[in-house]
Amino acid sequence: MIIKIVLFAFIFLETSNVLALYFAPGSKRANAVGVFSAWEKSKQFPEIHDFVKYLVYWVAGAKLIFLLLLVVIVLFGDATLQRFILLALAIGTVSFYWRLFPLIRSMDRNGQIEPHNYSTKLGWMILGLIIVFLLGTFL
């Protein structure tokens, strides 16, 4: 039961991100892209802004596919499969620290993120997700 709770909580959190990316990409909530100063700056160059929007919508679409697969696994997969899914989520989420975290931390230090220290908060939040995934896997 704890596995399903963890998976549904993650699905809920990520669904809020997908909705923000599709319908309010400039928001500073739900991990949308409004925290990046480049979002507003890109609007000065329509061609670049269209490209940035395309990438944002592409991420939202990829997340949506991923979330729907998770829903099917939660509804129809057995407990063993769900445990492996949590482990896979933990391992996959660790990749954040390979490329994304160094980049967002650099942008944060260069004043390209608002609010300041957002990268640190995001880093801790991602670590918390990894811990919850691992706890759900082994409990």
Side-chain angles (χ1 to χ4, degrees), residues 15-35:
T15 298
S16 70
N17 182 232
V18 168
L19 291 172
L21 291 174
Y22 272 134
F23 300 109
S27 174
K28 293 184 179 186
R29 296 178 189 256
N31 211 15
V33 295
V35 298

Side-chain angles (χ1 to χ4, degrees), residues 7-126:
L7 287 170
F8 273 128
F10 178 71
I11 290 167
F12 175 77
L13 288 172
E14 282 299 306
T15 298
S16 70
N17 182 232
V18 168
L19 291 172
L21 291 174
Y22 272 134
F23 300 109
S27 174
K28 293 184 179 186
R29 296 178 189 256
N31 211 15
V33 295
V35 298
F36 299 94
S37 61
W39 172 257
E40 286 300 318
K41 288 178 186 175
S42 75
K43 291 179 180 178
Q44 297 170 5
F45 306 95
E47 183 178 345
I48 292 171
H49 190 62
D50 285 345
F51 177 63
V52 170
K53 285 192 302 187
Y54 177 84
L55 292 175
V56 167
Y57 297 149
W58 187 88
V59 168
K63 284 183 173 227
L64 184 59
I65 292 166
F66 170 71
L67 287 172
L68 291 173
L69 289 171
L70 274 180
V71 167
V72 170
I73 290 166
V74 171
L75 294 178
F76 301 106
D78 64 9
T80 302
L81 177 61
Q82 292 171 3
R83 283 187 194 284
F84 280 116
I85 291 302
L86 281 175
L87 185 59
L89 284 170
I91 293 168
T93 305
V94 167
S95 72
F96 166 80
Y97 295 101
W98 175 47
R99 295 289 178 127
L100 293 174
F101 185 67
L103 186 57
I104 196 169
R105 185 171 52 185
S106 174
M107 288 186 285
D108 202 349
R109 289 179 178 163
N110 292 328
Q112 299 169 339
I113 306 277
E114 180 64 38
H116 184 67
N117 284 331
Y118 176 79
S119 62
T120 302
K121 293 173 189 167
L122 183 62
W124 284 109
M125 184 181 76
I126 298 293

